[in-house]
Amino acid sequence: MATDEKHTKRQKRINWMDNLRTFIIFLVVLYHVGGVYEAAGLWGWFWIVDDPDTIAWVGILGIMIDTFIMATMFLISGYLSPASMENKSGWEFLKGKFKRLMIPWMVAVLTLIPLYKVIFLYSRGLPQEHWSTYFHITNPNSQNWLWFLPLLFCFDLVYLLLKKANIKFPNISLRTAVLVAFVIGLVYSFGIGFLVDFRSWTLTPLIDFENERLLVYFMAFLIGALCYRQNVFAQKPKSQVLYIVACSVAWIPVTLHIFARLFPILYPDGFEITPLYRLIWYSSFLLSTFSMTYLMVESFWRYFDRTGRLWRELSKNSYGVYIIHVVVIGVFGTLLLNTNLPAVLKYLLLVLLTYAGSNLLVLTYRSVRDSLKMRSSKSLSPAKGA
């Protein structure tokens, strides 16, 4: 993965990228809160809380968000990985990623997954079960929302191996890379979907992933790495033509994908998953993914490349918010379950309570951790005059 391109020294923090990551985490919260109130009944059998009061448009919003949130997260991660390799050995890089991704994952699957099932049963008025069934190894939903962490660690590991093997990819432009990724992604998704099952998942105690999207997400990761190596974000583009065109037409593949997702629900009688339907599904999904991810990146790069106290705090909290937010949804969603509030108001309250509550919990944890570190450093430092 060697390249001749040189880029300027990366600043300590990339404000717009921090802000984009913070916003994407908020959208993840929005997406998962929607699972409590979606009307199609697709989430109710496994989601942490299933409110009988539903909202039709929440599911549509969720479909739109689902097209780009994970691709954007993998692209950001891919951009940051080469920088974190600089001045480090492969072992040091791997240890750092293991500490950041896998240790929090281990703690989460041993604590939050059991809490998930406790809330799941309690919110439905069901009796609690034997303690051995509360862990992700015995849970039919496996890791649930935590799947992102070990998969990202695997992407980092593969990228490191490719770099150590000195595998050189063709020196192509970013636009060419995106076009190639789209074609490969479409062939891959269609082929895997045809071979195994439509929208199939691989669930294991260590790693979970949606089979048809695995390579798509890895290519998003590689495109992020390519952006770093080519120093794509060094200067903002003067022309807005591509950005304006994307803003104007992105709704077309998104709308097509929404209809593809809703058609079997709206017209279940005689519906059959044909090759044409699969092609429409995957092509509309990929077009939505690439266009919406581009719009997210370009919008924050152009208009949100600034920071402030609130942005900084939310950015510092975002990783922790991602890890704990589903359990927080469960707590507040259960409290709102039997209220007489309209479904829309409950939905808005749950979004606000989850995001604010998760940030407050993470902020409290960070404060306690920093305080303990400070006390520990003081106790280990030599006394004056010693």
Side-chain angles (χ1 to χ4, degrees):
M1 289 192 173
T3 178
D4 293 332
E5 281 126 349
K6 296 181 180 180
H7 45 72
T8 56
K9 187 177 180 180
R10 180 172 171 262
Q11 57 181 323
K12 289 185 177 180
R13 303 305 309 180
I14 306 174
N15 294 327
W16 69 265
M17 197 170 287
D18 284 342
N19 297 340
L20 174 58
R21 182 170 49 190
T22 300
F23 181 68
I24 290 295
I25 295 301
F26 172 75
L27 290 182
V28 170
V29 172
L30 196 68
Y31 176 72
H32 285 150
V33 169
V36 178
Y37 300 102
E38 63 91 24
L42 301 177
W43 291 61
W45 68 274
F46 75 92
W47 199 230
I48 190 165
V49 175
D50 181 27
D51 198 309
D53 296 331
T54 60
I55 309 168
W57 56 263
V58 163
I60 297 174
L61 178 63
I63 293 172
M64 183 181 72
I65 294 174
D66 181 52
T67 61
F68 66 89
I69 51 172
M70 299 313 301
T72 305
M73 289 177 70
F74 281 118
L75 186 143
I76 294 172
S77 300
Y79 183 88
L80 297 175
S81 280
S84 63
M85 286 185 183
E86 293 180 356
N87 302 319
K88 291 181 183 177
S89 66
W91 180 241
E92 288 172 335
F93 170 78
L94 209 57
K95 283 196 299 183
K97 291 298 180 182
F98 188 87
K99 181 179 179 181
R100 176 160 177 79
L101 296 171
M102 296 307 295
I103 291 180
W105 173 80
M106 291 176 188
V107 174
V109 295
L110 293 175
T111 56
L112 300 184
I113 293 298
L115 279 173
Y116 182 102
K117 185 168 182 178
V118 169
I119 297 171
F120 177 92
L121 295 173
Y122 179 81
S123 67
R124 288 162 171 79
L126 299 173
Q128 299 296 320
E129 301 175 0
H130 190 270
W131 68 268
S132 63
T133 65
Y134 285 75
F135 297 94
H136 80 287
I137 297 176
T138 56
N139 189 322
N141 299 320
S142 195
Q143 304 168 37
N144 210 296
W145 77 101
L146 297 169
W147 64 269
F148 172 74
L149 304 180
L151 186 58
L152 178 57
F153 179 77
C154 289
F155 286 178
D156 282 317
L157 175 60
V158 172
Y159 185 80
L160 174 65
L161 293 175
L162 291 173
K163 186 174 185 296
K164 291 299 180 181
N166 200 29
I167 295 177
K168 297 181 180 180
F169 291 93
N171 188 19
I172 59 177
S173 68
L174 179 60
R175 291 187 181 185
T176 302
V178 170
L179 179 60
V180 171
F182 173 80
V183 174
I184 294 176
L186 182 58
V187 173
Y188 167 83
S189 297
F190 189 89
I192 293 296
F194 182 80
L195 290 175
V196 289
D197 196 3
F198 188 61
R199 295 213 70 190
S200 58
W201 277 79
T202 293
L203 305 178
T204 72
L206 182 60
I207 187 170
D208 291 358
F209 55 86
E210 187 175 348
N211 297 314
E212 294 91 333
R213 296 187 184 184
L214 177 62
L215 184 57
V216 175
Y217 288 151
F218 184 59
M219 288 190 297
F221 180 93
L222 292 179
I223 288 173
L226 180 66
C227 290
Y228 178 83
R229 289 188 292 117
Q230 294 189 353
N231 202 19
V232 169
F233 303 121
Q235 293 181 341
K236 293 180 175 61
K238 296 179 180 179
S239 175
Q240 291 188 333
V241 173
L242 181 60
Y243 180 69
I244 293 172
V245 170
C247 289
S248 303
V249 302
W251 65 272
I252 298 175
V254 172
T255 303
L256 182 60
H257 189 65
I258 289 172
F259 275 107
R261 295 274 288 264
L262 293 180
F263 191 83
I265 300 171
L266 298 175
Y267 304 99
D269 296 336
F271 175 78
E272 183 181 356
I273 299 177
T274 63
L276 177 60
Y277 177 76
R278 293 174 187 265
L279 181 62
I280 293 173
W281 176 294
Y282 293 126
S283 59
S284 61
F285 171 77
L286 286 169
L287 286 170
S288 301
T289 297
F290 281 84
S291 59
M292 291 300 296
T293 301
Y294 165 75
L295 287 177
M296 288 291 103
V297 171
E298 187 88 357
S299 297
F300 275 80
W301 183 27
R302 285 180 179 273
Y303 305 115
F304 296 94
D305 191 13
R306 61 182 66 90
T307 190
R309 183 176 180 181
L310 180 60
W311 274 118
R312 285 194 297 270
E313 290 302 317
L314 292 176
S315 176
K316 291 176 183 178
N317 294 343
S318 60
Y319 183 48
V321 169
Y322 174 82
I323 292 175
I324 70 171
H325 77 278
V326 171
V327 169
V328 180
I329 287 174
V331 172
F332 287 117
T334 302
L335 293 175
L336 292 169
L337 196 59
N338 297 318
T339 63
N340 294 322
L341 298 173
V344 173
L345 183 55
K346 286 198 286 186
Y347 170 76
L348 295 175
L349 278 173
L350 187 53
V351 171
L352 177 63
L353 290 170
T354 299
Y355 192 67
S358 297
N359 271 282
L360 183 60
L361 286 173
V362 175
L363 181 61
T364 302
Y365 164 77
R366 286 176 45 223
S367 299
V368 172
R369 180 198 61 190
D370 293 345
S371 177
L372 291 175
K373 283 184 178 179
M374 187 176 296
R375 290 181 183 179
S376 176
S377 62
K378 286 182 178 180
S379 64
L380 293 176
S381 62
K384 286 185 178 181

